[in-house]
Amino acid sequence: YYCPSLISMNMTKFADLHIHTHYSDSTDSPQEVVRQAHFQKLMCIAITDHDTVAGIAPTILAAQQFSLEIVPGIELSTEIDEKDIHMLGYFFDYQNPFLLEKLKQIQEARLERIKKMIALLKKEGINNIEWEEVCQLAPLASLGRPHLATILKQKGWVRDIKEAFEKYIGDKCPAYVSKYKQTPYEAIDLIRRCGGVAVLAHPMLTNKDELIPSFIEAGLQGLEVYYANSSDTSIKYYEGIAKKHHLIMTGGSDAHGKVKNNTYVGKTQIPYETVEQLRQVATVRR
């Protein structure tokens, strides 16, 4: 990670630990993310692209012109009991060969998933979407449903990305295809094996609180308590769960550029002290 200086007054510094780039399903480049973080006066951000670490190094490079620390992160897609659960990882060795091989497998599965979804859309009468068009939206990215939704919008099949999910590619919709089969426990193990800290992403969206104790047994170390647009009631509820289980309370905006209009880099900010807590429990040392 890039840390130009360590300032003793950590509580005067703030971080956003959930940000995506166009290396996965955001519209923002690493350079744009860094500029937004600087504008928001953030001192630290984590790049947490979906199932890829490709955006970390470019963001570190872009951040060198500012006093901005970049924490290596990832958001791993998992599934259990037909429920999508996302697992965040921080401060891991993002150049670990085992990790890179695993992510390669996941990326290949993502590509096949989109191909199958395009085929299903054709059965629904949407026959003017080609594989190459979707790839052009994200030539270096972790291809996902938002890219396909963007094409559906561009072709006039839906009014917006939300409608694309609700009508065609969301769960249980006509063109839905399940993603790479990885359990939350496997994701936690992968993050921990690479020296990182495993954190359950946006539990208020996942709504699988009964599984948190089993995740902790598997090595979960944190909970994303502070999430963009969450209510005070939700925050207090998950603060209680985190305190009960001695989990690190993290947070972030989940910024995706123009893909998500209801959030942006820095919309959710947490004290830099949380970054130090994550750093202390990580087993990777650089």
Side-chain angles (χ1 to χ4, degrees), residues 2-277:
Y2 175 66
C3 182
S5 64
L6 291 175
I7 301 174
S8 58
M9 295 178 65
N10 290 341
M11 290 304 290
T12 65
K13 300 167 63 177
F14 292 91
D16 180 343
L17 298 183
H18 194 158
I19 297 173
H20 298 270
T21 73
H22 67 190
Y23 282 86
S24 62
D25 58 348
S26 171
T27 58
D28 289 342
S29 68
Q31 293 77 15
E32 289 167 331
V33 166
V34 165
R35 283 197 293 270
Q36 292 170 41
H38 179 67
F39 177 78
Q40 293 289 337
K41 295 181 171 56
L42 291 166
M43 301 302 290
C44 177
I45 61 173
I47 299 302
T48 55
D49 281 320
H50 294 283
D51 302 322
T52 181
V53 294
I56 296 173
T59 308
I60 290 174
L61 183 62
Q64 289 180 355
Q65 63 179 305
F66 303 110
S67 295
L68 182 65
E69 178 180 354
I70 307 300
V71 174
I74 195 167
E75 186 171 10
L76 293 171
S77 304
T78 80
E79 186 178 315
I80 189 169
D81 299 330
E82 298 185 348
K83 178 73 174 182
D84 285 343
I85 293 176
H86 291 180
M87 202 63 64
L88 292 161
Y90 298 107
F91 284 111
F92 54 91
D93 177 8
Y94 64 94
Q95 297 173 323
N96 180 287
F98 179 80
L99 171 69
L100 295 178
E101 179 58 34
K102 185 71 172 179
L103 294 180
K104 181 182 177 183
Q105 295 173 17
I106 295 174
Q107 294 303 322
E108 290 172 351
R110 275 179 170 270
L111 298 180
E112 288 302 313
R113 182 192 192 200
I114 297 300
K115 288 180 181 178
K116 291 177 181 177
M117 294 178 87
I118 291 172
L120 289 174
L121 286 171
K122 289 185 186 299
K123 291 183 178 180
E124 295 296 312
I126 300 176
N127 55 12
N128 63 342
I129 293 179
E130 301 300 329
W131 163 247
E132 292 76 13
E133 292 178 289
V134 184
C135 289
Q136 285 175 3
L137 286 181
L140 300 174
S142 176
L143 210 59
R145 285 184 292 171
H147 300 113
L148 187 53
T150 299
I151 292 290
L152 282 165
K153 178 185 175 184
Q154 289 178 358
K155 298 280 186 174
W157 293 103
V158 295
R159 289 166 295 180
D160 50 37
I161 289 174
K162 181 181 179 183
E163 185 181 359
F165 275 82
E166 291 176 345
K167 192 172 182 180
Y168 295 111
I169 61 176
D171 294 3
K172 299 180 181 179
C173 289
Y176 176 77
V177 175
S178 61
K179 60 183 67 175
Y180 180 86
K181 297 294 184 182
Q182 178 179 219
T183 70
Y185 308 104
E186 290 172 324
I188 291 169
D189 179 69
L190 179 60
I191 293 165
R192 295 293 301 269
R193 184 184 295 203
C194 297
V197 186
V199 174
L200 178 61
H202 39 64
M204 62 290 296
L205 301 184
T206 302
N207 198 26
K208 276 287 185 179
D209 299 345
E210 70 274 12
L211 294 177
I212 291 176
S214 67
F215 293 162
I216 294 170
E217 287 183 18
L220 185 76
Q221 298 152 293
L223 197 63
E224 191 175 40
V225 171
Y226 310 104
Y227 186 72
N229 306 312
S230 292
S231 67
D232 290 343
T233 301
S234 174
I235 289 172
K236 288 178 181 177
Y237 174 75
Y238 285 105
E239 282 178 337
I241 290 180
K243 290 174 182 176
K244 176 182 177 181
H245 296 289
H246 307 288
L247 296 170
I248 298 172
M249 292 183 280
T250 74
S253 63
D254 198 8
H256 279 72
K258 295 177 182 177
V259 172
K260 287 190 175 183
N261 295 322
N262 62 346
T263 188
Y264 52 85
V265 172
K267 184 167 188 178
T268 297
Q269 301 185 19
I270 59 173
Y272 184 79
E273 180 185 26
T274 304
V275 179
E276 293 288 22
Q277 289 177 321

